[in-house]
Amino acid sequence: MTAPALELKNVAKTYRVRQGLFGKPKPLKAVNDVSLTLRKGEVLGLVGESGCGKSTLAKILLGLEPPTAGEVLVDGQAIIGQDRLALARRIQPIFQDPYSSLNPRKTIADIVSLPLRVHSIGDAKSRDKAVRETLELVGLPARVLNTYPSQMSGGQRQRVAIARALIMRPEIIICDEPTSALDVSVQSQILNLLNALRAEFGLAYLFISHDLAVVEHLATRVAVMYLGRIVEEADVADLFDAPRHPYTRALLNSVLTPEPGLGIPDTQLGAAYPNPINPPSGCHFHPRCPFATDHCKAQAPRAVPRAGGHVECHLHDPQSPMYRADFTV
Ligand code: SF4
């Protein structure tokens, strides 16, 4: 059996955070015992509210932050101890904001060719050829080569960011909210482009988003994150047709804020998102859950298998006193 493109095994990231000037540092579990698998050519959507740990997870996968515990494997090999440059050849990021992720003082040719120069790949002539070919792949004409990011639209800048990620021909792309800073009319063009590139090059995407509509458009599987944990994971059709976790249901019902880029869904759950330094006892979701009982406050739910993944909720656990075989949210 071939190894998955990317695998996370019980990955955790804990920061020590001081509250107030004289407060004692307390642990903040940004990522809490996360296990995920991204198969080759697959798009795994990772959704959740702002502050749930999605971006910390992206930094761990890109080798920008070491995990506190657990293991990250690329093609079956642990990334700890691997050369950063070698890892960057296989995993590339596309970030949310093309305005700030591109150097405003560099031309598009310089920006897109940078990974080739950093990795000492080819000479000036072959790099120029690769840049032109890659720009064509992302739908940009060669005349943009000597222009600057400030001379381009938001959608064009995100195409440049995609070209920069693609020029190394990576196997995995970590897409961190790649369309949320763009106008709605441009979003679908970028999503269609990402989809076409995935099909052409067999890329695997971890697609991080607060927007379930975007995830439904692109992903084959979805993982829902809450306070650092994956509370539900399922094949995309199953998750949208039959969400099991009450938080997934709330996200599906959520109303997005009209301001592009802010990207915090109004989950209409009543209680505010908890402070991760003082997470609620038992099931972390219990203060916001309409089905919570005293059992939920006392006991954290375990992961129970479901189609294409798992769900963490007592209502779906045959070993829990709260189990309801016929429960749907
Ligand atoms: Fe709600 Fe309890 Fe399920 Fe947590 S375990 S999601 S509080 S019903």
Side-chain angles (χ1 to χ4, degrees):
M1 207 170 85
T2 53
L6 186 65
E7 196 174 2
L8 285 81
K9 288 183 178 173
N10 308 105
V11 168
K13 180 74 189 178
T14 304
Y15 299 101
R16 305 285 300 174
V17 177
R18 197 184 292 276
Q19 280 190 305
L21 204 53
F22 303 106
K24 271 191 176 168
K26 294 181 86 177
L28 185 158
K29 291 184 179 178
V31 175
N32 185 2
D33 198 16
V34 165
S35 295
L36 280 175
T37 300
L38 176 66
R39 292 185 279 267
K40 289 174 183 165
E42 179 183 54
V43 183
L44 174 62
L46 182 63
V47 297
E49 287 166 277
S50 188
C52 73
K54 303 180 302 239
S55 293
T56 303
L57 201 56
K59 285 183 196 153
I60 292 171
L61 298 178
L62 291 165
L64 302 174
E65 295 253 11
T68 318
E71 226 183 352
V72 179
L73 300 108
V74 173
D75 216 1
Q77 306 274 314
I79 66 168
I80 287 233
Q82 278 195 37
D83 178 60
R84 276 280 296 278
L85 280 181
L87 190 63
R89 279 181 174 229
R90 310 180 82 173
I91 308 183
Q92 282 285 313
I94 301 170
F95 294 111
Q96 173 178 359
D97 186 359
Y99 299 86
S100 62
S101 69
L102 305 180
N103 187 335
R105 287 186 293 278
K106 297 289 183 187
T107 64
I108 302 309
D110 283 338
I111 290 169
V112 177
S113 65
L114 180 68
L116 298 178
R117 286 182 281 121
V118 168
H119 291 262
S120 304
I121 296 173
D123 55 17
K125 194 174 166 195
S126 66
R127 285 199 286 262
D128 178 65
K129 183 168 177 278
V131 169
R132 287 168 187 270
E133 284 171 359
T134 310
L135 286 179
E136 192 179 340
L137 280 172
V138 301
L140 288 172
R143 67 171 180 276
V144 303
L145 278 169
N146 294 314
T147 59
Y148 291 85
S150 61
Q151 296 169 276
M152 306 185 102
S153 68
Q156 285 175 320
R157 279 185 254 217
Q158 198 55 299
R159 285 175 193 267
V160 171
I162 294 169
R164 182 180 54 185
L166 199 64
I167 200 159
M168 297 294 293
R169 295 292 184 269
E171 294 145 48
I172 302 159
I173 297 188
I174 310 294
C175 307
D176 192 357
E177 303 267 10
T179 59
S180 58
L182 302 174
D183 290 344
V184 174
S185 59
V186 182
Q187 283 186 5
S188 59
Q189 295 169 17
I190 296 296
L191 291 175
N192 289 340
L193 172 64
L194 289 170
N195 221 357
L197 294 171
R198 183 194 60 76
E200 184 165 353
F201 296 106
L203 297 164
Y205 295 150
L206 180 73
F207 194 91
I208 298 171
S209 180
H210 67 278
D211 187 341
L212 276 167
V214 167
V215 169
E216 186 180 20
H217 185 85
L218 205 67
T220 41
R221 263 185 321 123
V222 184
V224 178
M225 199 165 186
Y226 190 80
L227 266 186
R229 290 189 68 79
I230 305 297
V231 295
E232 185 165 13
E233 183 191 357
D235 292 333
V236 71
D238 285 328
L239 189 104
F240 280 81
D241 288 351
R244 302 275 168 87
H245 199 285
Y247 180 59
T248 309
R249 177 80 263 170
L251 277 185
L252 286 170
N253 290 338
S254 70
V255 179
L256 293 178
T257 55
E259 190 180 333
L262 187 58
I264 301 166
D266 174 4
T267 51
Q268 301 184 329
L269 284 167
Y273 197 79
N275 181 349
I277 298 177
N278 294 307
S281 61
C283 174
H284 292 340
F285 186 58
H286 83 251
R288 304 171 86 191
C289 180
F291 309 102
T293 65
D294 286 346
H295 184 65
C296 303
K297 292 178 194 166
Q299 180 92 39
R302 66 190 186 110
V304 179
R306 64 153 298 172
H310 73 271
V311 59
E312 291 187 351
C313 173
H314 293 308
L315 292 163
H316 299 283
D317 184 352
Q319 292 179 17
S320 163
M322 285 177 65
Y323 178 61
R324 281 165 53 186
D326 58 346
F327 180 78
T328 51
V329 286

